[in-house]
Amino acid sequence: SLLLPVLLLLAVLWTQAAALINLKYSVEEEQRAGTVIANVAKDAREAGFALDPRQASAFRVVSNSAPHLVDINPSSGLLVTKQKIDRDLLCRQSPKCIISLEVMSSSMEICVIKVEIKDLNDNAPSFPATQIELEISEAASPGTRIPLDSAYDPDSGSFGVQTYELTPNELFGLEIKTRGDGSRFAELVVEKSLDRETQSHYSFRITALDGGDPPHLGTVGLSIKVTDSNDNNPVFGESTYSVTVPENSPPNTPVIRLNASDPDEGTNGQVVYSFYGYAKDLGPNSIPAHCKVTVSVLDTNDNPPEYESFSTILVDGRLDREQHDQYNLTIQARDGGVPMLQSSKSFTVRITDENDNHPHFSKPYYQVIVQENNTPGAYLLSVSARDPDLGLNGSVSYQIVPSQVRDMPVFTYVSINPNSGDIYALRSFNHEQTKAFEFKVLAKDGGLPSLQSNATVRVIILDVNDNTPVITAPPLINGTAEVYIPRNSGIGYLVTVVKADDYDEGENGRVTYDMTEGDRGFFEIDQVNGEVRTTRTFSESSKASYELIVVAHDHGKTSLSASALVLIYLSPALDAQESMGSVNLSLIFIIALGSIAGILFVTMIFVAIKCKRDNKEIRTYNCRIAEYSYGHQKKSSKKKKINKNDIRLVPRDVEETDKMNVVSCSSLTSSLNYFDYHQQTLPLGCRRSESTFLNVENQNTRNTSANHIYHHSFNSQGPQQPDLIINGVPLPERRLQGLLAMALQRIYDDNGCYNGYHNGGIETKGLSYDR
């Protein structure tokens, strides 16, 4: 019913077709899926097809004898494999394996495609069984032929079975023959006479080889059994036999076993015996044999001993009821006859129990894995100890050994059933507080005195996605953050970075970011690092503010999330090109260079004059001498020492431009003892290379600060700079605190002389030392 509409459709399409071509291709079997067989569009075009390149679909498949194996891409016109093709399964051993397709082009032209699947030698010959069993009479004459089972090879043609080989030997050979269908088989040929009595079994290997290069092969075992013919007579080992028989031998007791050997097989070698006539085999034309037997009757010890009384029985070693709870003893009395006769008496000894075994746990270490937020009272695991003693000596009870878990008694975490050993949780565990804990379980028996043993139990608490991400950046006020960016920000400008913390672990704590609402067309967010960047440029006509709803969500099986409203404001920005107008940039550059050169020249004159004045003052006044002489006079005030309470943290929120000289001089008493706030000259004996500069705020900001607190910041986007470098060596924070505290106790004036305490403060990376 389905074939008729298809034939009618093909007939209509055939009659409407403007042209018809035949294309033939071939592909080897076992090619992977997606292998390109041919470019049908190219070949059809070269054959005269008028294909319209403007149409997306160049071909339409009308019929396909193997749609699951090959197909044509309608847009590219490539003929490709859809899966790996097994020719041996598709066409068996047919000499030709063809797949046919009929396709129609967009211009109603018909193309008949034939794809031949080429055979590969990908199969080895195999026999129907692992062993061939044959029986051949030893009377078989040379030249006798026996057909053998053929090997099968799924490959076709020359890749099929071509020949057979037999293990080299002198008695048998192979002859290869061909059937009407071209397949080949082998016959076993007897080449020499056989003798079963010399060798009755032969084992060989038959090998089948195909026509590949190199050939594939398959083997089978060949077992040949040589059957017998009656060509041997029975023969006794001796002509005369002498035997003895005990006097008390019962009827039908064997006296002697005679054996006449016949090397023949079956009835030819089966011997029958009789007192009359002769011993002979059951084969045809049997020749008999005979022998003589002499029997002597002997006296025997046929009276066993009898009991009179028992002797004392003593324990010969330590008794262990758990190993052996009773003994069955047998007392035997034997005489000295040949054969020896004896009599016996049996009784049972039962062993009573003592408490001599400790309870023994099934394993010394138990481990259980439980998810956090479990229900209090939930079952965790069971421990088990066995005591082989009996009664109360073997009854086991359990208890938890007192210990601490996070400074709390273990009894507040778990409990144990003293009879069954079942352990239960007494609280809901929190992975973020306790990831695992251990305790010991004690097993005691009921004996007197009681014996005991212990085992360790480890509880591992798995993380559950029970913590919602918390947005930590940008700072939020009532769930809202305000961010300002220049109006002339370009595409990809970093607006802000959203950061969120999640105290869970693994996927439960891995946070990604997204924008769900707001002006998403103007911005984009990196899902991994939370960077929010612009995707458009802004003009003077753009609105002044934008809103974004940013969501941070974790990757637990039930994802938790947090959201924030980010308000983005455009700050006014002057367009450099508009402000410059038609001004010549080269002229501006020349003017700037000239101004800088003039400023440098004036600065050099100023520095030279000041250095000359300072040298005069140093030659006329020696602060060392003055300080020494002053130290012998009575001072009017005590020296105030700095303590930890005088050191406080201040926030870092101001960008600085000027610099403060921190000078290290080997000529001074401390390694850090001179702070120059107002000038660039160095004290006498100091080298410029020994000085290091810390950023401080500019003069205007310094004047407006009530406490003269100086801030610094590093604008470099590289690695964070050290707080302070002294003589080329970076100092850690603690060392820096000590040095600054020491320096503040000895502040020198412009001439390097002791001047008490400075009224200002010094800050390094958020650490402020105030007076």
Side-chain angles (χ1 to χ4, degrees):
S1 60
L2 297 176
L3 182 59
L4 182 58
V6 174
L7 293 175
L8 293 175
L9 176 61
L10 290 176
V12 172
L13 296 175
W14 192 275
T15 54
Q16 293 179 352
L20 173 66
I21 65 170
N22 292 290
L23 296 177
K24 294 183 179 181
Y25 304 103
S26 64
V27 63
E28 290 184 344
E29 65 171 333
E30 303 297 332
Q31 297 296 317
R32 62 181 179 84
T35 299
V36 177
I37 300 174
N39 189 334
V40 177
K42 175 178 175 295
D43 296 341
R45 189 178 292 109
E46 293 177 356
F49 267 29
L51 300 179
D52 189 353
R54 295 172 298 177
Q55 294 190 1
S57 178
F59 288 101
R60 178 166 59 89
V61 177
V62 177
S63 66
N64 187 347
S65 64
H68 62 291
L69 297 179
V70 297
D71 199 2
I72 294 181
N73 188 307
S75 58
S76 66
L78 294 178
L79 178 63
V80 296
T81 60
K82 297 179 67 177
Q83 65 180 34
K84 185 182 290 186
I85 302 175
D86 187 347
R87 183 195 184 282
D88 309 314
L89 181 63
L90 180 64
C91 299
R92 303 295 178 183
Q93 290 185 324
S94 299
K96 288 288 187 178
C97 186
I98 303 295
I99 297 177
S100 300
L101 296 92
E102 292 184 2
V103 297
M104 178 178 287
S105 68
S106 57
S107 58
M108 301 301 289
E109 296 170 311
I110 295 294
C111 179
V112 178
I113 300 173
K114 301 289 185 180
V115 181
E116 180 180 358
I117 309 302
K118 296 290 188 180
D119 189 24
L120 292 177
N121 189 22
D122 56 345
N123 293 282
S126 61
F127 287 87
T130 59
Q131 188 81 1
I132 298 177
E133 304 284 347
L134 293 181
E135 290 187 358
I136 303 176
S137 172
E138 64 177 337
S141 60
T144 302
R145 285 175 165 76
I146 300 97
L148 300 176
D149 293 338
S150 301
Y152 172 74
D153 191 329
D155 294 324
S156 63
S158 62
F159 293 148
V161 177
Q162 298 297 313
T163 187
Y164 296 86
E165 294 179 354
L166 178 65
T167 305
N169 66 95
E170 297 180 352
L171 297 178
F172 304 95
L174 288 181
E175 184 173 333
I176 313 302
K177 293 189 176 182
T178 305
R179 296 189 179 94
D181 60 357
S183 62
R184 298 188 178 186
F185 67 97
E187 289 184 347
L188 183 68
V189 180
V190 179
E191 296 184 347
K192 289 186 178 181
S193 298
L194 305 177
D195 185 1
R196 191 200 66 81
E197 288 73 34
T198 302
Q199 186 170 351
S200 61
H201 287 84
Y202 297 91
S203 295
F204 303 109
R205 301 293 296 179
I206 297 178
T207 304
L209 298 93
D210 62 18
D213 185 17
H216 291 168
L217 54 88
T219 62
V220 67
L222 175 61
S223 177
I224 301 175
K225 178 181 179 182
V226 180
T227 59
D228 185 48
S229 63
N230 192 23
D231 56 350
N232 292 280
N233 301 319
V235 177
F236 283 103
E238 301 288 342
S239 61
T240 301
Y241 295 91
S242 296
V243 295
T244 57
V245 178
E247 61 175 336
N248 59 349
S249 298
N252 298 321
T253 298
V255 176
I256 187 173
R257 184 177 298 276
L258 297 174
N259 184 32
S261 61
D262 189 329
D264 291 330
E265 194 173 36
T267 59
N268 296 334
Q270 184 177 349
V271 179
V272 294
Y273 303 86
S274 66
F275 282 115
Y276 304 100
Y278 302 96
K280 62 180 180 179
D281 62 33
L282 299 180
N285 304 318
S286 175
I287 300 176
H290 67 276
C291 70
K292 180 181 179 180
V293 178
T294 301
V295 180
S296 301
V297 180
L298 300 176
D299 181 34
T300 60
N301 181 25
D302 53 355
N303 295 295
E306 294 181 359
Y307 285 96
E308 296 168 356
S309 63
F310 286 106
S311 300
T312 302
I313 300 175
L314 302 178
V315 176
D316 192 27
R318 186 177 183 275
L319 301 180
D320 188 347
R321 187 203 64 80
E322 287 73 34
Q323 295 292 331
H324 207 160
D325 61 349
Q326 72 176 28
Y327 294 87
N328 296 319
L329 302 182
T330 300
I331 304 297
Q332 290 183 341
R334 296 176 300 212
D335 63 20
V338 178
M340 182 183 295
L341 296 181
Q342 62 184 20
S343 60
S344 63
K345 200 77 174 180
S346 299
F347 57 94
T348 301
V349 179
R350 292 182 175 85
I351 311 301
T352 60
D353 184 52
E354 287 189 6
N355 188 27
D356 58 346
N357 288 281
H358 293 259
H360 179 71
F361 280 94
S362 59
K363 51 185 178 181
Y365 185 85
Y366 293 83
Q367 179 172 291
V368 63
I369 299 175
V370 60
Q371 290 187 340
E372 64 175 331
N373 304 328
N374 58 291
T375 304
Y379 169 81
L380 296 180
L381 78 159
S382 295
V383 297
S384 175
R386 179 182 174 274
D387 193 323
D389 294 325
L390 292 178
L392 291 178
N393 294 337
S395 65
V396 179
S397 62
Y398 305 92
Q399 65 185 56
I400 296 176
V401 178
S403 61
Q404 298 290 110
V405 179
R406 290 180 57 86
D407 299 330
M408 294 289 291
V410 68
F411 306 111
T412 63
Y413 281 77
V414 291
S415 67
I416 189 169
N417 186 312
N419 298 320
S420 66
D422 296 338
I423 300 177
Y424 300 89
L426 294 182
R427 63 168 60 187
S428 181
F429 300 137
N430 188 342
H431 174 82
E432 286 72 36
Q433 294 180 356
T434 306
K435 293 180 173 57
F437 62 92
E438 288 186 355
F439 58 92
K440 291 186 179 297
V441 175
L442 188 70
K444 298 173 54 179
D445 62 25
L448 290 175
S450 176
L451 300 179
Q452 63 187 25
S453 62
N454 61 66
T456 301
V457 178
R458 178 174 177 84
V459 179
I460 298 176
I461 303 169
L462 296 182
D463 185 41
V464 174
N465 191 23
D466 58 347
N467 288 284
T468 303
V470 178
I471 296 179
T472 58
L476 301 179
I477 300 178
N478 295 329
T480 303
E482 295 183 353
V483 179
Y484 293 85
I485 64 173
R487 181 177 292 272
N488 62 347
S489 300
I491 295 175
Y493 182 83
L494 179 61
V495 177
T496 186
V497 178
V498 179
K499 293 292 182 183
D501 293 334
D502 193 317
Y503 296 106
D504 292 320
E505 293 183 350
E507 290 296 293
N508 295 335
R510 184 168 67 89
V511 179
T512 55
Y513 307 90
D514 199 3
M515 298 187 302
T516 59
E517 298 180 23
D519 300 310
R520 292 184 292 175
F522 293 86
F523 306 92
E524 64 180 2
I525 188 170
D526 190 297
Q527 292 186 342
V528 177
N529 58 35
E531 293 181 352
V532 178
R533 296 182 181 273
T534 58
T535 59
R536 300 184 184 181
T537 57
F538 302 96
S539 62
E540 292 298 329
S541 61
S542 300
K543 59 181 182 180
S545 64
Y546 297 85
E547 295 183 358
L548 291 177
I549 300 296
V550 178
V551 176
H553 59 86
D554 59 30
H555 286 257
K557 289 186 177 179
T558 301
S559 180
L560 303 178
S561 62
S563 62
L565 172 62
V566 180
L567 298 178
I568 302 173
Y569 297 96
L570 299 183
S571 301
L574 182 62
D575 191 329
Q577 294 182 355
E578 294 180 359
S579 63
M580 291 179 63
S582 59
V583 178
N584 192 324
L585 292 178
S586 300
L587 180 61
I588 295 177
F589 183 70
I590 295 174
I591 294 175
L593 289 178
S595 302
I596 293 173
I599 293 174
L600 289 176
F601 180 74
V602 173
T603 302
M604 292 173 64
I605 296 175
F606 174 77
V607 169
I609 296 173
K610 182 146 182 77
C611 288
K612 184 177 181 180
R613 183 186 63 187
D614 290 343
N615 291 336
K616 291 181 179 180
E617 293 176 355
I618 292 174
R619 286 193 297 268
T620 58
Y621 174 74
N622 191 325
C623 64
R624 299 289 182 183
I625 298 175
E627 181 179 358
Y628 178 81
S629 61
Y630 179 75
H632 289 78
Q633 299 177 6
K634 183 177 180 180
K635 299 181 181 180
S636 60
S637 61
K638 295 182 179 181
K639 185 184 300 182
K640 181 182 178 181
K641 292 187 177 181
I642 195 168
N643 57 47
K644 294 181 179 179
N645 296 329
D646 295 326
I647 303 176
R648 62 187 179 88
L649 300 176
V650 296
R652 181 177 60 186
D653 54 359
V654 180
E655 297 289 338
E656 300 83 26
T657 57
D658 294 342
K659 293 185 178 179
M660 174 187 71
N661 286 342
V662 181
V663 183
S664 172
C665 299
S666 58
S667 61
L668 300 182
T669 59
S670 68
S671 62
L672 179 62
N673 50 20
Y674 185 85
F675 297 84
D676 183 4
Y677 292 88
H678 309 295
Q679 66 182 11
Q680 298 295 325
T681 60
L682 298 177
L684 186 64
C686 293
R687 300 190 305 272
R688 173 66 65 181
S689 60
E690 295 177 346
S691 64
T692 303
F693 298 97
L694 292 178
N695 290 334
V696 301
E697 65 182 7
N698 56 35
Q699 186 66 32
N700 294 332
T701 306
R702 182 164 59 224
N703 292 337
T704 58
S705 174
N707 295 324
H708 293 281
I709 299 175
Y710 295 91
H711 301 271
H712 85 283
S713 66
F714 294 95
N715 294 327
S716 172
Q717 296 183 359
Q720 187 174 4
Q721 301 296 325
D723 294 341
L724 185 62
I725 300 176
I726 300 297
N727 290 334
V729 179
L731 293 181
E733 184 174 297
R734 291 187 179 180
R735 176 62 175 159
L736 175 61
Q737 295 176 9
L739 290 178
L740 289 179
M742 183 196 309
L744 286 172
Q745 296 185 37
R746 293 184 63 94
I747 305 298
Y748 289 81
D749 60 11
D750 293 343
N751 292 320
C753 297
Y754 178 76
N755 195 24
Y757 297 96
H758 198 278
N759 290 330
I762 300 174
E763 184 215 2
T764 59
K765 300 197 70 161
L767 295 175
S768 175
Y769 302 87
D770 187 12
R771 293 180 63 111

